[in-house]
Amino acid sequence: MTVIDEVVAANQVYARTHELRKLTPRPERKLAVLTCMDTRLSIRTLGLQTADAHVIRNAGGIVTEDALRSLIVSHHLLGTEEIMVINHNDCGLMQASEDELRARIQSRTGTSADSPELFHVFQNVEENVRLQLQKLRAHPWIPKQIAVRGFAYDVTSGLLSEVKQKGL
Ligand SMILES: [Zn+2]
């Protein structure tokens, strides 16, 4: 039995009660979180429940074209009013340069690829969070009155610390 088979079996059990059926697609606490897919980050680390927020995850917690698309849908179609960006220390994207990462995967697979264009590797968590905030704040469809805040998550202490814009 593969893990996917186990998940399909678990879904059969879940569906007997289907507790989440009563929820609406609109996040109850009007929050959108963009963060890394890292296993050590969870709605539990943020004290959130399933219905509270949209959680958009990718490797790194990067404002990519697709993350932007999701955040715009989250606000304009589904009513979220605050955006939280979280990156973390010991992230997989801090271990190598773009070229090293590309070369490593190319050698594993024996072939090159045009996509993804970038892995969005980074060295400094705070700087990387600032870069993501800039991309969001510069977008004309992210209204200025929306709270857009960035945080670094420490996987050792379990604590978030807010990343302020330089000069503030
Ligand atoms: Zn990560």
Side-chain angles (χ1 to χ4, degrees):
M1 202 185 206
T2 66
V3 175
I4 293 177
D5 292 327
E6 292 168 7
V7 168
V8 170
N11 167 257
Q12 298 282 317
V13 176
Y14 164 77
R16 288 178 202 150
T17 55
H18 192 12
E19 292 155 33
L20 302 186
R21 184 177 187 160
K22 60 183 185 297
L23 301 181
T24 80
R26 300 172 79 86
E28 281 175 12
R29 295 172 75 184
K30 300 186 179 190
L31 173 70
V33 180
L34 171 63
T35 190
C36 187
M37 64 189 189
D38 194 285
T39 52
R40 296 164 291 183
L41 275 154
S42 150
I43 56 171
R44 284 179 60 199
T45 60
L46 303 175
L48 293 171
Q49 305 296 320
T50 299
D52 286 346
H54 279 147
V55 182
I56 296 133
R57 302 183 71 165
N58 60 28
I62 307 295
V63 179
T64 57
E65 174 75 16
D66 195 63
L68 204 45
R69 181 181 67 87
S70 298
L71 290 168
I72 287 166
V73 168
S74 177
H75 170 64
H76 288 284
L77 275 62
L78 294 163
T80 54
E81 296 290 347
E82 297 182 52
I83 299 175
M84 194 174 186
V85 177
I86 306 171
N87 291 180
H88 67 98
N89 60 349
D90 195 36
C91 187
L93 291 181
M94 301 175 80
Q95 319 292 335
S97 71
E98 291 282 340
D99 287 347
E100 285 162 356
L101 208 48
R102 189 166 293 281
R104 198 185 300 170
I105 297 170
Q106 199 163 314
S107 109
R108 275 181 75 117
T109 58
T111 184
S112 63
D114 295 334
S115 170
E117 256 177 73
L118 281 177
F119 287 97
H120 298 278
V121 303
F122 60 94
Q123 305 305 322
N124 180 296
V125 178
E126 283 75 17
E127 285 303 317
N128 201 56
V129 168
R130 281 191 195 98
L131 183 61
Q132 309 320 311
L133 295 178
Q134 278 167 19
K135 287 190 266 185
L136 286 176
R137 288 179 176 137
H139 199 283
W141 286 354
I142 305 282
K144 299 295 168 242
Q145 66 270 24
I146 287 212
V148 177
R149 293 168 62 183
F151 296 83
Y153 179 72
D154 184 326
V155 295
T156 305
S157 68
L159 286 170
L160 290 174
S161 49
E162 185 152 13
V163 176
K164 294 290 187 185
Q165 272 181 300
K166 279 212 167 128
L168 290 180

